[in-house]
Amino acid sequence: MWKLCTIGEALIDFVPMEAGKRLKDVVCFRRVAGGAPANVAYAYAHLGGRAKLITKLGRDAFGDHIVDTLQKGHVDVSSIVRTSRYDTALAFVSLSADGSRDFQFYRRTSADLQLGYEELDETAKDFDVLHFCSVALQKDPMRECHRKLIEAARRKQKLICFDPNLRFSLWEEEQALKEQVRAFLPYADIVKIADDELTFISGRETIEAALPFFFAFPHCQMVLYTKGGKGAELFTRTLHVKVDGCAVDVLDTTGAGDGFVAAFLYRLGEKTKPLDALDESDLEDALRFANTFAALSTRHLGAMDAYPSLAEVEAYSMKRSASHL
């Protein structure tokens, strides 16, 4: 099984206690640990894998809560740096009636953006797979920390996974976001793209038209294309597999995409094969597992607390297979 490392933001999500209201109208919130890289590490460990998170947190109560939550989820927190100079980032979330979200972030001077590569010891660089997103690519020193860690991982032939996970409200100019995403795409072996991100990143309207854009990058071996409740597709340079969505009662989609990535990497890691040795059956199994994991997580509020266990995913999959016989 692969040892996964994620790098980027960890923050506190304040999720509403009531759905269907605009953020300005929400009165009560519940505090939960979040941030896409943290969610991925937590979900991977929750399934039984070995995962660590590299980030920087304030030496404050919110940072303490994130560390405590990750430790309880069996995530390795030894590479989390703490500081008294900056605060842990916060995000307030509102939920529409269909479970979609709106964000308000408070992280312009947050601790995670201040992490320098020189603050990482050699144990932080011990992993098989490195996963990152775009939120923490806003500025240096964290952006440069990403670059140096990714380049070191590339030299050691580690697997690199990139989920842009676009958050437009964090960037003063959308063009700057696009430039950073495109600057880091060449590093990735696996790229995960959501349907509502495709055109912004690639300039193409359909995934079929966008594939030459992604596979023009020499390291890109696999593109994961998620379509929410409509399922997901996976493309390599020679194979294409897809799975349908799962019929679940959606309450909150927070962290579903992160759960998808974690579950997909977990299932691939179980197969103990290099990417180019995986066949169509291997890929479809991993894609279906990831899609089921993500769908089941939307039935509950939040991200980490909502992630299903391995047993729950397997039980649902067996029940669904039986219903199709």
Side-chain angles (χ1 to χ4, degrees):
M1 174 61 68
W2 292 331
K3 184 175 183 179
L4 173 68
C5 175
T6 67
I7 180 173
E9 77 281 3
L11 48 80
I12 294 293
D13 281 325
F14 285 94
V15 298
M17 299 300 293
E18 48 197 338
K21 288 191 175 182
R22 297 169 63 185
L23 190 57
K24 71 182 184 68
D25 297 321
V26 178
V27 176
C28 296
F29 295 86
R30 181 168 65 95
R31 174 205 63 179
V32 295
N39 290 339
V40 173
Y42 186 96
Y44 193 87
H46 186 63
L47 285 167
R50 295 181 299 156
K52 72 163 66 177
L53 171 67
I54 293 177
T55 193
K56 194 170 190 176
L57 298 173
R59 198 173 296 280
D60 50 36
F62 293 131
D64 291 343
H65 176 68
I66 291 170
V67 171
D68 290 347
T69 300
L70 294 174
Q71 284 182 314
K72 290 176 183 176
H74 307 292
V75 175
D76 181 350
V77 298
S78 61
S79 297
I80 295 179
V81 179
R82 305 294 298 272
T83 178
S84 299
R85 293 187 61 191
Y86 301 96
D87 298 324
T88 300
L90 308 178
F92 288 82
V93 187
S94 65
L95 298 175
S96 65
D98 64 359
S100 60
R101 300 153 295 153
D102 185 28
F103 294 91
Q104 177 64 54
F105 291 93
Y106 292 85
R107 63 185 308 277
R108 287 188 176 89
T109 58
S110 63
D112 64 282
L113 291 172
Q114 313 306 319
L115 180 66
Y117 184 72
E118 69 282 356
E119 297 181 87
L120 306 183
D121 60 24
E122 287 305 309
T123 63
K125 304 164 192 175
D126 176 26
F127 51 79
D128 302 302
V129 182
L130 179 64
H131 174 72
F132 68 104
C133 305
S134 71
V135 167
L137 300 179
Q138 284 179 274
K139 63 179 184 179
D140 293 329
M142 184 48 131
R143 181 169 57 209
E144 187 62 17
C145 183
H146 273 68
R147 192 184 309 278
K148 289 182 177 179
L149 184 64
I150 292 167
E151 289 175 347
R154 173 60 62 201
R155 288 193 295 271
K156 295 180 180 179
Q157 298 184 316
K158 306 299 184 181
L159 193 65
I160 311 295
C161 179
F162 182 25
D163 175 7
N165 193 40
L166 304 179
R167 295 290 179 263
F168 292 99
S169 63
L170 288 172
W171 299 75
E172 292 183 9
E173 297 181 1
E174 291 186 359
Q175 184 61 30
L177 169 57
K178 181 182 293 187
E179 288 173 358
Q180 290 306 318
V181 169
R182 289 187 169 187
F184 278 82
L185 276 172
Y187 292 112
D189 299 290
I190 300 174
V191 177
K192 184 263 188 188
I193 297 290
D195 53 1
D196 59 356
E197 300 173 330
L198 182 68
T199 300
F200 177 81
I201 292 173
S202 71
R204 281 69 168 181
E205 296 292 333
T206 67
I207 184 60
E208 290 79 12
L211 290 176
F213 168 82
F214 292 112
F215 286 127
F217 300 114
H219 292 301
C220 184
Q221 300 183 57
M222 189 177 296
V223 176
L224 295 171
Y225 182 58
T226 56
K227 303 180 291 184
K230 296 180 181 179
E233 299 183 56
L234 182 154
F235 300 86
T236 71
R237 294 176 185 269
T238 59
L239 296 172
H240 172 217
V241 297
K242 61 181 180 180
V243 297
D244 295 329
C246 301
V248 298
D249 294 326
V250 176
L251 180 61
D252 181 7
T253 60
T254 302
D258 307 325
F260 180 96
V261 171
F264 182 80
L265 294 174
Y266 175 83
R267 200 64 156 189
L268 283 194
E270 284 189 317
K271 300 182 185 303
T272 64
K273 297 179 182 179
L275 288 191
D276 58 6
L278 295 166
D279 59 27
E280 187 172 348
S281 177
D282 293 325
L283 296 175
E284 183 176 352
D285 174 67
L287 190 66
R288 191 175 306 280
F289 180 82
N291 194 63
T292 301
F293 183 91
L296 294 180
S297 75
T298 66
R299 301 177 303 172
H300 307 284
L301 285 173
M304 296 182 189
D305 290 343
Y307 289 139
S309 66
L310 178 59
E312 287 176 303
V313 177
E314 292 177 340
Y316 180 90
S317 298
M318 290 180 62
K319 182 179 179 180
R320 192 179 187 201
S321 296
S323 67
H324 285 83
L325 294 178

